Amino acid sequence: MSATFSNPSPAQITELRQLLGDRVVTDPAEIDAAAHDRSRYAPEGASAVLVRAGSTADVSCALAWAHEHRVPVAVRGAGTGVSGGAVGYPGGLIISLTGLNQITRIDEVNRLADVQAGVITSVLDRAANEHGLFFPPDPASVEISTVGGNIATNAGGLRCIAHGVTRDAVAALEVVLADGTVINTGARTRKNVVGLDLTSLFVGSEGTLGVITAATVRLKPIPPGTPHTFRANFDDIVAAGEAITAIVGGEAQPEVLELLDAASVRVIEAFHPTGLNVPNAAVLIGQTVGADAAHLADLITQTCAAHGATDLLISQSDSLLEARRLANPALTAQGLRVSCDVGVPVGELANVFRGIAEISERHGRAVSIVAHAGDGNLHPTVEAEDTPEGYAAAELVIDDITRLAISLGGTMSGEHGIGAVKHHELSAQLSDAVLGVQRSIKQTLDPHNILSPGRAI
Amino acid sequence: MSATFSNPSPAQITELRQLLGDRVVTDPAEIDAAAHDRSRYAPEGASAVLVRAGSTADVSCALAWAHEHRVPVAVRGAGTGVSGGAVGYPGGLIISLTGLNQITRIDEVNRLADVQAGVITSVLDRAANEHGLFFPPDPASVEISTVGGNIATNAGGLRCIAHGVTRDAVAALEVVLADGTVINTGARTRKNVVGLDLTSLFVGSEGTLGVITAATVRLKPIPPGTPHTFRANFDDIVAAGEAITAIVGGEAQPEVLELLDAASVRVIEAFHPTGLNVPNAAVLIGQTVGADAAHLADLITQTCAAHGATDLLISQSDSLLEARRLANPALTAQGLRVSCDVGVPVGELANVFRGIAEISERHGRAVSIVAHAGDGNLHPTVEAEDTPEGYAAAELVIDDITRLAISLGGTMSGEHGIGAVKHHELSAQLSDAVLGVQRSIKQTLDPHNILSPGRAI
């Protein structure tokens, strides 16, 4: 898809300011502060203008303006993405949704929440907690990312093994289309077969089809009993993979099942000691919930032991999961790192661990692994020197890991999305025909290609 | 969306036969036998040709032919739909998928099944059972409808309160597009954020965007323990509605929670006596599963009792659910009936029952109710004389019930779909902007509008 963009003229910026007043920001420093996400991606050239939307009408107005003047648009919540999806375009418009921060309603009876896109995900979760409910999606960024951003990227997280991904929690959406038209999709009912499932189409579309301004999301009741956490150390990561497959295929289901390899544990403990023993190969950390949480944790650690695990621990403390949550900041604090977000069917975990070890050896580069193991989603990280050459060499390792995951029936992105960073790799997973279908849908909804052009699809 | 169709010429039919041999049927009786579904909808004029596809390649070939010659296409599995979605077009092509009847693989470790579209749903379920797994979607037609048809209509059923709708069980699809191109969507992983969610878009699209030829579906482990069924009779249907809301909002969750009003029970017992007592107003019938099924049934019937229910029964026999499954054949055997498929949020059940009683009284027509009560999906049936006037008068009652459901935050179709029958009513629920988006997506994927034109969207 091609499109011709032009930088908005001073007269056009003035027009936007007449429409939206001090919602319109042209100060270069303020724009720059809103132009990045947590990836390294940064195109040359500054964005022209930032709109801090305070309402759906503001978003509609800004998009109609961009549509008319052919201005490329980046949309951002908290800017915590790692794939460059929210990064500003040179000469473009950035729309910030953090001003859309109202929880409109918690519908306790129907277990639904009406929420604006800019609400921080953990704020929504805590509001639901006051009604005995919780919001299932819990990406690692839950304390800093927004519900709208989570929906736009179909965010995953730690509890997906039990509760599915963000898409599974979205009942209905308010979306502003490229030309400023506001639509409502979905329903408040469990069943609804009236036309196409536009809700699911917008979830995970990473800002390419419309701007999600509000959502009706599904809540779940907080399980009774006390959550239990557990830990099991393995001398062999392949055996850990086999244990995970056995756990997921068994009767006792965890709510969380995570893997940290020895290298990752060392980095975490160096960053912020949590008391986690460094395993010989990998540690499984998880959580069970419900009235029989203790029994479930016992059964799961027994399965681990049957696969050779030692140093088993069951606890009612949250400290094991705290260690897991430190993985991202700890790895980030190491400086340059090159990581990815592949997924495989859980039955292939042993094979993917074996394959990553081979790739690591072939390239002569250490690869550490943090994984949402229970749902087969891995974040391997490759050591790299802080030079263009080091970075490029690490990317080659990631390319091999991505191809390995796809060859095992897996995916190049489990939860981080494609954004700008992985866009050139799409054809490794999707056929030309599928890409063609996606781009034709994009073309029909956004004929001037102003919404996140060149990203995601 | 407009399109010009022409009946295929004899030379074009000959061309199709050269391509597909004896898969091509032109015998009028055989075509007519494949031209209807279980609705009353029957347009004037016979279909021109039937293709009994035996492979995805056959479907691709037939669609490429129809695309080239602008022939409207109806797609059918078992033809058990009730909305006219699979009914043949005058001068059109019918593609039957019942020959695509292979279960390619049951992947026990990853709890996935690869299945062709024409497999009967209960056959898939029983194949999964041999691996300790089951296929969650269970529309009332499970013994006679196909997996492909269930996916194309996003079928519901009795267990949706516990397991969601068909869409929730679909991981990946093989789809033939209007021009014959074959694409694969989705993934075998739990998480996958790579481009648009085309899988969800095709699920429930009722044959308008492409022909689903195969699917990878998610299976679940059969719960341990013995399922328990329960029954509770109510003297007041509004109290039953309040009880359902309380059950669904409580800790003890049923796998099935159905409502039959007194009139429906009388019809069932006259059709085939099952020993079900006729309640004064309505009976709740349900099932619990899992190791604590008996305890759950006990808690649920206690909730019913707290809302005034009497004649409580808990059983390990399936006969209560058998009575429920007889509702459709029993009502059908009554001759002319006009029913609908509305849904409301479960918190609105008491209000919808109250409203239906008012509508019934205002029109002076009896309305009986069978409902997948736990998920808020109702099938009210209006008595009608077997005359055009009687039918039209009953339709007015249905129109009022539909408006009532939508006004309560509900839907005009929970599980039967729109098809041809409800197509003219779409704007009661969907805005012009949403209809425009749906039709523009249809236009881009099917530019000659050959796939189920004038239906569903």
Side-chain angles (χ1 to χ4, degrees), chain A residues 115-423:
Chain A
V115 59
Q116 288 189 303
V119 169
I120 298 292
T121 304
S122 63
V123 171
L124 169 62
D125 187 44
R126 284 191 286 271
N129 293 167
E130 291 176 21
H131 299 263
L133 303 169
F134 72 103
F135 180 56
D138 69 332
S141 59
V142 66
E143 294 288 349
I144 51 173
S145 61
T146 63
V147 175
N150 292 172
I151 294 173
T153 58
N154 189 23
L158 275 66
R159 295 193 294 219
C160 297
I161 178 175
H163 304 295
V165 293
T166 298
R167 178 174 286 112
D168 299 308
V170 179
L173 291 175
E174 178 186 80
V175 178
V176 185
L177 301 178
D179 66 358
T181 305
V182 181
I183 64 169
N184 287 278
T185 71
R188 302 181 77 82
T189 52
R190 190 69 196 79
K191 292 171 170 172
N192 180 47
V193 192
V194 181
L196 304 178
D197 184 4
L198 298 182
T199 306
S200 292
L201 186 66
F202 284 108
V203 176
S205 64
E206 298 189 54
T208 58
L209 302 184
V211 178
I212 296 162
T213 46
T216 303
V217 297
R218 300 187 198 285
L219 308 174
K220 289 191 177 183
I222 296 173
T226 305
H228 281 59
T229 54
F230 59 84
R231 176 197 68 198
N233 282 346
F234 287 83
D235 295 340
D236 174 4
I237 195 170
V238 172
E242 287 162 354
I244 298 158
T245 302
I247 292 164
V248 174
E251 272 187 23
Q253 289 293 301
E255 189 187 43
V256 173
L257 186 59
E258 301 285 313
L259 176 141
L260 300 169
D261 71 358
S264 303
V265 174
R266 271 190 293 267
V267 170
I268 291 167
E269 291 302 303
F271 176 74
H272 184 99
T274 71
L276 200 61
N277 299 348
V278 178
N280 285 333
V283 59
L284 281 193
I285 293 172
Q287 179 168 280
T288 54
V289 292
D292 54 350
H295 180 57
L296 293 174
D298 192 43
L299 291 174
I300 291 168
T301 51
Q302 283 176 32
T303 302
C304 291
H307 286 81
T310 56
D311 203 20
L312 306 175
L313 177 71
I314 297 177
S315 165
Q316 294 187 32
S317 141
D318 193 45
S319 65
L320 290 169
L321 290 183
E322 279 169 24
R324 166 62 186 91
R325 291 194 191 101
L326 284 169
N328 285 348
L331 286 162
T332 302
Q334 291 270 303
L336 186 65
R337 64 187 188 108
V338 182
S339 69
C340 66
D341 172 42
V342 295
V344 294
V346 287
E348 301 293 345
L349 278 168
N351 285 330
V352 80
F353 290 146
R354 230 178 249 123
I356 290 173
E358 286 167 11
I359 290 168
S360 170
E361 196 178 329
R362 191 163 67 241
H363 286 265
R365 285 194 174 261
V367 178
S368 60
I369 300 177
V370 173
H372 304 305
D375 60 42
N377 182 203
L378 282 69
H379 299 310
T381 297
V382 183
E383 283 188 7
E385 306 81 49
D386 191 3
T387 61
E389 295 72 27
Y391 184 85
E395 285 288 356
L396 293 177
V397 180
I398 296 293
D399 287 351
D400 279 358
I401 293 173
T402 300
R403 274 190 287 267
L404 168 68
I406 292 172
S407 75
L408 293 170
T411 178
M412 62 194 285
S413 179
E415 57 182 15
H416 291 169
I418 299 300
V421 172
K422 287 174 245 174
H423 190 257

Side-chain angles (χ1 to χ4, degrees), chain B residues 223-289:
Chain B
T226 305
H228 281 58
T229 55
F230 58 85
R231 177 196 67 198
N233 283 346
F234 287 83
D235 294 341
D236 174 3
I237 195 169
V238 172
E242 286 162 353
I244 297 159
T245 302
I247 292 165
V248 174
E251 271 187 25
Q253 289 295 299
E255 189 187 44
V256 173
L257 186 59
E258 301 283 314
L259 175 141
L260 301 168
D261 71 358
S264 303
V265 174
R266 271 191 291 271
V267 169
I268 291 167
E269 291 301 305
F271 176 74
H272 183 99
T274 70
L276 200 62
N277 298 348
V278 178
N280 286 334
V283 59
L284 280 194
I285 294 172
Q287 178 168 281
T288 53
V289 292

Side-chain angles (χ1 to χ4, degrees), chain A residues 110-111 153 157 167-168 190-194 196-197 248-249 346-347 372 375 377 411 413-415 429 438, chain B residues 110-111 153 157 167-168 190-194 196-197 245 248-249 346-347 372 375 377 411 413-415 429 438:
Chain A
N110 295 305
R111 293 177 178 156
T153 58
R167 178 174 286 112
D168 299 308
R190 190 69 196 79
K191 292 171 170 172
N192 180 47
V193 192
V194 181
L196 304 178
D197 184 4
V248 174
V346 287
H372 304 305
D375 60 42
N377 182 203
T411 178
S413 179
E415 57 182 15
Q429 185 167 337
Q438 296 192 353
Chain B
N110 295 304
R111 292 176 178 158
T153 58
R167 177 174 288 113
D168 299 307
R190 190 69 197 79
K191 293 172 171 172
N192 180 48
V193 193
V194 181
L196 304 177
D197 184 4
T245 302
V248 174
V346 288
H372 304 305
D375 59 43
N377 182 204
T411 178
S413 178
E415 57 181 16
Q429 185 166 336
Q438 297 191 354

Side-chain angles (χ1 to χ4, degrees), chain B residues 55-310:
Chain B
S55 67
T56 301
D58 290 350
V59 175
S60 171
C61 183
L63 285 186
W65 175 89
H67 183 72
E68 184 185 345
H69 299 304
R70 313 287 192 264
V71 179
V73 181
V75 187
R76 64 188 287 112
T80 58
V82 295
S83 302
V87 170
Y89 290 88
L93 166 67
I94 300 168
I95 299 179
S96 167
L97 300 179
T98 52
L100 299 176
N101 59 3
Q102 298 300 304
I103 299 172
T104 316
R105 180 183 176 199
I106 305 276
D107 177 350
E108 191 175 315
V109 174
N110 295 304
R111 292 176 178 158
L112 298 169
D114 295 317
V115 59
Q116 288 188 302
V119 170
I120 297 293
T121 304
S122 64
V123 170
L124 169 63
D125 188 43
R126 284 191 286 271
N129 293 167
E130 291 176 21
H131 299 264
L133 303 170
F134 73 103
F135 180 56
D138 68 332
S141 59
V142 66
E143 294 287 348
I144 51 173
S145 61
T146 63
V147 175
N150 292 173
I151 294 173
T153 58
N154 190 22
L158 275 66
R159 294 192 295 218
C160 297
I161 179 177
H163 304 295
V165 293
T166 299
R167 177 174 288 113
D168 299 307
V170 179
L173 291 174
E174 178 186 79
V175 178
V176 185
L177 301 177
D179 67 358
T181 304
V182 181
I183 64 169
N184 288 277
T185 71
R188 302 182 76 82
T189 51
R190 190 69 197 79
K191 293 172 171 172
N192 180 48
V193 193
V194 181
L196 304 177
D197 184 4
L198 299 182
T199 306
S200 292
L201 186 66
F202 284 107
V203 176
S205 64
E206 299 190 53
T208 59
L209 301 184
V211 178
I212 294 162
T213 45
T216 301
V217 297
R218 300 187 199 284
L219 308 174
K220 288 190 176 184
I222 296 173
T226 305
H228 281 58
T229 55
F230 58 85
R231 177 196 67 198
N233 283 346
F234 287 83
D235 294 341
D236 174 3
I237 195 169
V238 172
E242 286 162 353
I244 297 159
T245 302
I247 292 165
V248 174
E251 271 187 25
Q253 289 295 299
E255 189 187 44
V256 173
L257 186 59
E258 301 283 314
L259 175 141
L260 301 168
D261 71 358
S264 303
V265 174
R266 271 191 291 271
V267 169
I268 291 167
E269 291 301 305
F271 176 74
H272 183 99
T274 70
L276 200 62
N277 298 348
V278 178
N280 286 334
V283 59
L284 280 194
I285 294 172
Q287 178 168 281
T288 53
V289 292
D292 54 350
H295 180 57
L296 293 173
D298 192 44
L299 291 173
I300 291 168
T301 50
Q302 282 176 33
T303 302
C304 291
H307 286 81
T310 56

